[in-house]
Amino acid sequence: MASLAFSSTSASPVALRGRPNKLAIGVAQSGACHVSARGSDRKARLFITRAVAVEKKVSRFEDVAMAPPDPILGVSEAFRACTNESKLNLGVGAYRTEDLQPYVLNVVKKAEKLMLEKGENKEYLPIEGLAAFNKATAELLLGADNHSIQSQRVATVQGLSGTGSLRLAAAFINRYCPNSKVLISSPTWGNHKNIFNDAGVPWSEYRYYDPKTVGLDFEGMIADIKAAPSGSFILLHGCAHNPTGIDPTPEQWTQIADVLEEKGHTPFFDVAYQGFASGSLDEDAFSVRLFVERGFEVFVAQSYSKNLGLYSERIGAINVICSSSDVANRVKSQLKRLARPMYSNPPVHGARIVANVVGDPNLFSEWKAEMEEMAGRIKNVRKRLYDNLSQKDKSGKDWSFILRQIGMFSYTGLNTSQSENMTNKWHMYMTKDGRISLAGLSLAKCDYLADAIIDSYHNVN
Amino acid sequence: MAFRAMISSHATQQSKWVPSAGVARQMSSWFGHVEPAAKDPILGVTEAFLADPSPDKVNVGVGAYRDDNGKPVVLECVREAERRIAGNLNMEYLPMGGSSHMIEESLKLAYGEDSDFIKDKRIAAVQALSGTGACRLFADFQKRFLPDSQIYIPVPTWANHHNIWRDARVPQNTFHYYHAETKGLDFSSLMEDIKNAPNGSFFLLHACAHNPTGVDPSEEQWREISHLFKSKNHFPFFDMAYQGFASGDPERDAKAIRIFLDDGHLIGCAQSFAKNMGLYGQRAGCLSILCDNEMEAVAVKSQLQQLGRPMYSNPPVHGALIVSTILGDPELKKLWLQEVKGMADRIIGMRTTLRENLEKLGSPLSWEHITNQIGMFCYSGMSPEQVDRLTNEYHIYMTRNGRISMAGVTTGNVGYLANAIHEVTK
């Protein structure tokens, strides 16, 4: 490692004790020598001729490149910077009210108030998280009377929302199924790849989105899953597929299960929108419960970011439904062992909120009502957008896919340039894959958005 | 074992689940080969303690502060902060790097209120999942950007340090630290190891209140260590989990870091608010890396965020809000400083009492180290067998390395504890 070197400058050797770095910066800024230059310039540095009280070290991290901006969160940043009045943020998937304001659920406020009054302590949770939360979350997912829960075959560990839960599962797969890969849908949530990459789990894609129909490429999906090596993990979105909003029908889910069974694959569900898609917790859990009923061992990552609006509290869970309680115990112990060197134990606040809401019958009912309202608003917005598009678009294009899609997002079918036109000309901020977040759309703005979409679709290539 | 073979044999054998008449048929599992993990040595102690029905039981295992009644404490300043933030803000995702207000306040605490490094924006810092998360982020960063580097870890250290760098796949070495004979610092061996390590090695240093020994270098010794680090061009990574908690004075507890900064080192630092603010379960912490200049700090921070994104996307908000509310308000900060001093003082008092009791009991051994050591932990020098006796015969729970969490010692149990220790060591 090269030791420090500065070219001799006119900077006087003032007493540097206690302020060595000021000199270094001063020298750099004066332009008398180019300290932070990379590559060949570095070799051109001369050594200090005057005694410097303290040497400043050359950083080891000088060659660290700037990471690219996150494609999704970057949209919000651009939106914030825009001054146009008509602007709309259709980027990140966080629910907004009709007034386009963030929304803290009433049940959450009530739960927090209860918690404040109770004044519970802030001791470490066990590595696996809050027991009351773990029990509630598994029951919510599978139904309290589900056989897998009754026979204690479900290993549940509280995780850092969906991301953290996925990461724990990925780390487990890397350690215990080192020859297996994961299949993810094309497209899928951007962070899925990052999670499996960083966990060292190889992945490949299965066809999912069909741009011709703006719907599901079911045949492609089945073919690709069939072609995967036996014993692969198939990452499935439980409901409200992100980013397309396109879900398989119940019949299609059954056929998907058939293929997984035939190939000995393991289903790995990402459930980030339970209750948020249709408005019903049970209905949205259909796909997961189907696979569990069929006798699969299943991984399920859950998130309460959207359905309880607890985004920043980072609350979720990883569930592994196993073939026996003995296996479940061992799997749980190893999930804990993976979590310990990541963050020791999970944050308590969000877990308590969920446990309080689900544990109180009144709050639970109220929550279901609020969830129906949120899902309802999104359905209404879809309808309005569809109506506006159908009325205004004289080309006869069929926009009904918007009604068939479900959940927070809609894949509009717009390509990159068209999406860019949405932003540059119409100040509609969205991701370049054509995805819009309906959670960020109000009834009042549907008209304008329809104009923007029609223009971008027909007039831009 | 050939997992493929196992998979294909399972694929043909796997029977469908048929829950019938309450009796379920076992089907073969993909995860049958998964062995049960060993209990975590530290957190396992609390589990065992909780399961013990004895009325005399004492938990001096995990490092969580207890008041003189043995009860967990939520600081007044924390309660007040929570009252202030309740219902005020939405729960939107924090930026990937976390709460900027919290980061700002954390840096001031570690680097100094008027630190030039902060003013010059040379510190790449992100909110992290307490100390564990901060160390893990750094380990992952080290692996990604300096893939040939290793980490030197003191012997002994907090057990999870080994897990963290191992799971980050950074090779580990150790350096001498604890001197069993004196129950103090093995300074000459420490310096020897620093000297013998290849130039430019990464070292994990406990900034204050070493865990598990409670043995810290003196100020003079820190200066010598820093000086030697300079000539070897080593990278100092500080784990500071007890700032304020060790001496009662956060400025004093940051002395080691300030010495290294003054000497021109570019350091890394993991901070935790679990103990000093009692925010254990909130997972509030900060990782910082001092860089050459602002541009580099921006790049490094962006990469730290990139590492956090596939681990948890963005960090939890609640603890961060508490930290920034307290540190950002002069009144609340003053209250916090009083409370943290109170906790440190109680522990120092218990150290004195425990030592006095042992001496009064006529113990043949020296117990000086109890008051020489600092912070939450005391490395008693007891053997695992002696610890087992403490647990089995006296229902006293602690880790088998002889580490006593002084935070769990109260005026109510110190006599019982001293007596038991005396019995197993005399």
Side-chain angles (χ1 to χ4, degrees):
Chain A
M1 189 66 72
S3 64
L4 174 73
F6 283 108
S7 64
S8 170
T9 72
S10 52
S12 51
V14 290
L16 294 163
R17 258 165 252 115
R19 285 282 178 267
N21 299 301
K22 259 227 149 34
L23 168 70
I25 288 178
V27 165
Q29 288 172 346
S30 75
C33 78
H34 195 32
V35 173
S36 58
R38 290 155 203 244
S40 55
D41 276 347
R42 235 189 253 160
K43 299 185 178 128
R45 282 192 218 143
L46 303 173
F47 282 87
I48 291 186
T49 54
R50 296 189 226 263
V52 180
V54 168
E55 284 185 9
K56 184 173 93 59
K57 288 171 136 193
V58 173
S59 169
R60 265 150 245 256
F61 306 122
E62 221 174 280
D63 293 331
V64 171
M66 183 73 179
D70 186 281
I72 300 171
L73 303 175
V75 171
S76 289
E77 280 177 32
F79 168 81
R80 273 192 290 270
C82 172
T83 49
N84 187 289
E85 275 171 11
S86 320
K87 70 177 181 175
L88 208 56
N89 187 356
L90 302 171
V92 75
Y95 180 81
R96 295 282 177 274
T97 60
E98 171 65 23
D99 298 322
L100 299 183
Q101 294 304 310
Y103 180 60
V104 178
L105 277 71
N106 287 325
V107 287
V108 170
K109 289 184 192 163
K110 287 186 185 173
E112 283 206 300
K113 190 149 167 286
L114 269 172
M115 285 157 60
L116 209 59
E117 282 159 21
K118 267 194 232 171
E120 282 167 309
N121 65 50
K122 299 188 182 305
E123 296 298 287
Y124 291 125
L125 285 179
I127 304 177
E128 69 263 35
L130 185 69
F133 166 79
N134 288 348
K135 178 169 187 293
T137 200
E139 290 178 357
L140 215 57
L141 178 68
L142 300 168
D145 52 358
N146 190 284
H147 184 271
S148 60
I149 292 184
Q150 299 288 314
S151 52
Q152 294 170 333
R153 293 186 289 115
V154 183
T156 301
V157 170
Q158 179 187 337
L160 289 158
S161 202
T163 305
S165 306
L166 288 161
R167 178 59 178 265
L168 274 185
F172 181 91
I173 292 171
N174 168 263
R175 190 171 278 183
Y176 291 100
C177 311
N179 299 317
S180 298
K181 72 171 175 182
V182 174
L183 266 75
I184 62 182
S185 65
S186 170
T188 193
W189 179 49
N191 207 23
H192 279 144
K193 297 172 186 160
N194 298 333
I195 292 168
F196 293 115
N197 283 341
D198 277 23
V201 175
W203 54 269
S204 66
E205 287 176 302
Y206 59 87
R207 279 168 284 174
Y208 194 81
Y209 174 63
D210 186 354
K212 291 193 291 297
T213 59
V214 197
L216 179 60
D217 178 1
F218 188 60
E219 264 136 44
M221 178 181 184
I222 294 291
D224 289 346
I225 293 177
K226 252 196 205 162
S230 277
S232 296
F233 288 82
I234 313 297
L235 186 65
L236 303 159
H237 297 227
C239 64
H241 183 270
N242 178 1
T244 67
I246 299 163
D247 285 349
T249 63
E251 296 72 42
Q252 288 172 326
W253 274 122
T254 303
Q255 291 177 259
I256 294 168
D258 290 340
V259 178
L260 263 81
E261 194 176 322
E262 188 191 312
K263 294 289 302 196
H265 294 326
T266 298
F268 183 173
F269 278 96
D270 186 353
V271 175
Y273 299 99
Q274 188 186 1
F276 203 93
S278 67
S280 156
L281 286 162
D282 289 320
E283 211 180 295
D284 287 348
F286 168 81
S287 57
V288 172
R289 295 181 188 179
L290 169 75
F291 279 75
V292 172
E293 262 320 289
R294 294 264 306 242
F296 284 91
E297 288 185 314
V298 190
F299 278 80
V300 187
Q302 293 170 281
S303 164
Y304 289 89
S305 290
K306 284 76 164 177
N307 58 10
L308 254 177
L310 294 178
Y311 307 93
S312 57
E313 302 292 350
R314 319 311 295 129
I315 177 68
I318 177 67
N319 303 274
V320 188
I321 295 96
C322 306
S323 62
S324 73
S325 61
D326 177 53
V327 172
N329 276 338
R330 287 185 270 131
V331 168
K332 179 166 169 166
S333 77
Q334 295 296 353
L335 287 169
K336 283 163 66 170
R337 203 163 142 250
L338 287 158
R340 174 58 158 160
M342 259 195 238
Y343 48 82
S344 280
N345 37 67
V348 67
H349 198 74
R352 282 200 179 132
I353 294 176
V354 176
N356 274 300
V357 167
V358 175
D360 175 303
N362 290 331
L363 286 181
F364 189 49
S365 301
E366 219 182 300
W367 176 36
K368 286 195 274 201
E370 280 190 278
M371 220 163 13
E372 269 177 45
E373 233 181 86
M374 291 194 287
R377 186 182 98 62
I378 291 195
K379 281 186 207 160
N380 288 343
V381 154
R382 280 187 185 277
K383 183 81 178 42
R384 179 70 63 89
L385 180 61
Y386 166 74
D387 289 340
N388 286 350
L389 282 165
S390 308
Q391 283 158 18
K392 290 168 176 254
D393 185 9
K394 305 301 177 198
S395 77
K397 175 177 162 69
D398 181 6
W399 293 97
S400 64
F401 61 82
I402 290 188
L403 294 176
R404 284 192 298 277
Q405 291 165 359
I406 191 168
M408 207 178 264
F409 301 111
S410 173
Y411 238 35
T412 55
L414 296 174
N415 62 30
T416 310
S417 337
Q418 293 165 340
S419 300
E420 279 168 359
N421 186 65
M422 293 284 287
T423 306
N424 299 336
K425 182 169 170 190
W426 296 87
H427 314 287
M428 302 284 94
Y429 287 81
M430 52 190 278
T431 45
K432 305 230 188 291
D433 54 0
R435 179 190 92 162
I436 55 174
S437 169
L438 293 163
L441 179 61
S442 58
L443 288 171
K445 302 267 195 172
C446 285
D447 196 78
Y448 181 80
L449 179 60
D451 287 338
I453 292 175
I454 291 169
D455 171 61
S456 305
Y457 182 78
H458 288 294
N459 300 333
V460 176
N461 280 327
Chain B
M1 112 182 335
F3 189 73
R4 279 255 170 263
M6 198 183 84
I7 290 176
S8 41
S9 72
H10 273 182
T12 49
Q13 284 168 24
Q14 200 167 32
S15 40
K16 230 196 217 164
W17 187 275
V18 181
S20 55
V23 176
R25 218 158 24 129
Q26 281 282 29
M27 68 185 220
S28 41
S29 166
W30 291 117
F31 310 116
H33 64 300
V34 174
E35 305 209 331
K39 279 213 178 303
D40 185 281
I42 301 171
L43 302 177
V45 170
T46 296
E47 279 180 32
F49 167 82
L50 289 169
D52 186 333
S54 164
D56 298 324
K57 64 181 180 178
V58 174
N59 186 358
V60 282
V62 76
Y65 182 79
R66 296 285 177 270
D67 64 14
D68 199 43
N69 296 316
K71 297 276 178 268
V73 170
V74 179
L75 301 184
E76 257 317 298
C77 61
V78 169
R79 289 274 185 235
E80 176 56 30
E82 285 206 301
R83 278 190 286 269
R84 291 187 196 183
I85 66 184
N88 276 349
L89 297 155
N90 61 54
M91 290 162 178
E92 297 294 289
Y93 292 122
L94 284 179
M96 272 193 287
S99 154
S100 45
H101 191 191
M102 182 230 191
I103 291 169
E104 211 180 287
E105 292 297 335
S106 302
L107 294 182
K108 284 188 344 208
L109 209 55
Y111 292 78
E113 285 272 333
D114 299 312
S115 167
D116 281 328
F117 306 122
I118 298 179
K119 293 202 189 94
D120 297 336
K121 303 200 186 154
R122 285 177 51 193
I123 307 175
V126 292
Q127 180 188 336
L129 290 161
S130 207
T132 305
C135 286
R136 177 55 180 268
L137 267 188
F138 181 78
D140 281 347
F141 180 80
Q142 186 185 348
K143 176 67 183 174
R144 185 169 285 182
F145 293 98
L146 290 136
D148 299 327
S149 68
Q150 305 181 330
I151 186 80
Y152 281 79
I153 296 185
V155 178
T157 194
W158 178 49
N160 207 25
H161 279 143
H162 292 294
N163 298 336
I164 290 168
W165 268 270
R166 179 202 65 221
D167 275 23
R169 297 173 222 236
V170 173
Q172 304 177 23
N173 288 304
T174 57
F175 63 93
H176 285 86
Y177 192 85
Y178 178 68
H179 198 223
E181 284 81 61
T182 57
K183 301 191 184 47
L185 184 63
D186 187 352
F187 187 60
S188 50
S189 303
L190 184 153
M191 292 295 271
E192 204 45 40
D193 287 346
I194 293 174
K195 202 162 65 140
N196 293 335
N199 286 5
S201 295
F202 282 69
F203 275 78
L204 171 68
L205 304 167
H206 297 226
C208 63
H210 182 271
N211 175 2
T213 68
V215 170
D216 284 350
S218 66
E219 190 176 317
E220 196 38 57
Q221 287 170 327
W222 274 124
R223 290 193 192 283
E224 286 187 54
I225 294 169
S226 170
H227 193 77
L228 184 53
F229 261 59
K230 250 171 29 196
S231 65
K232 296 287 298 182
N233 206 30
H234 289 329
F235 183 96
F237 182 72
F238 284 96
D239 185 354
M240 185 155 66
Y242 298 97
Q243 188 183 9
F245 208 93
S247 68
D249 176 4
E251 279 301 294
R252 195 162 138 200
D253 289 344
K255 191 66 188 167
I257 289 181
R258 307 289 171 83
I259 288 172
F260 274 69
L261 290 172
D262 280 347
D263 285 350
H265 292 284
L266 296 174
I267 69 168
C269 180
Q271 289 171 270
S272 164
F273 290 96
K275 285 69 160 181
N276 60 10
M277 260 191 214
L279 293 178
Y280 307 93
Q282 304 290 344
R283 320 313 293 129
C286 179
L287 168 67
S288 55
I289 297 178
L290 177 59
C291 300
D292 239 2
N293 53 61
E294 182 178 350
M295 204 171 74
E296 186 183 296
V298 169
V300 168
K301 176 169 173 153
S302 76
Q303 294 294 353
L304 292 174
Q305 288 175 185
Q306 201 81 317
L307 287 159
R309 171 65 156 153
M311 250 197 254
Y312 46 81
S313 279
N314 35 65
V317 70
H318 197 75
L321 277 176
I322 296 175
V323 173
S324 57
T325 302
I326 292 173
L327 295 179
D329 177 301
E331 285 296 310
L332 279 184
K333 182 167 178 184
K334 199 161 134 216
L335 176 57
W336 172 59
L337 289 169
Q338 281 168 14
E339 292 190 276
V340 92
K341 182 164 191 318
M343 292 194 286
D345 284 347
R346 190 184 90 68
I347 289 189
I348 291 170
M350 284 295 101
R351 286 184 181 276
T352 307
T353 309
L354 180 61
R355 175 183 165 181
E356 279 172 1
N357 278 14
L358 281 162
E359 286 166 354
K360 272 196 210 117
L361 284 167
S363 170
L365 307 170
S366 162
W367 296 99
E368 260 182 24
H369 53 284
I370 296 182
T371 46
N372 286 341
Q373 292 164 3
I374 191 169
M376 202 177 274
F377 302 111
C378 163
Y379 228 40
S380 61
M382 287 187 285
S383 69
E385 293 70 38
Q386 289 168 329
V387 171
D388 287 342
R389 281 191 64 196
L390 280 181
T391 306
N392 298 332
E393 296 173 36
Y394 295 92
H395 309 278
I396 294 173
Y397 289 81
M398 52 193 280
T399 45
R400 292 186 86 234
N401 54 10
R403 181 191 87 165
I404 301 175
S405 172
M406 294 305 301
V409 180
T410 66
T411 48
N413 66 24
V414 65
Y416 179 76
L417 181 61
N419 185 62
I421 292 175
H422 177 58
E423 288 299 316
V424 309
T425 58
K426 67 182 180 185

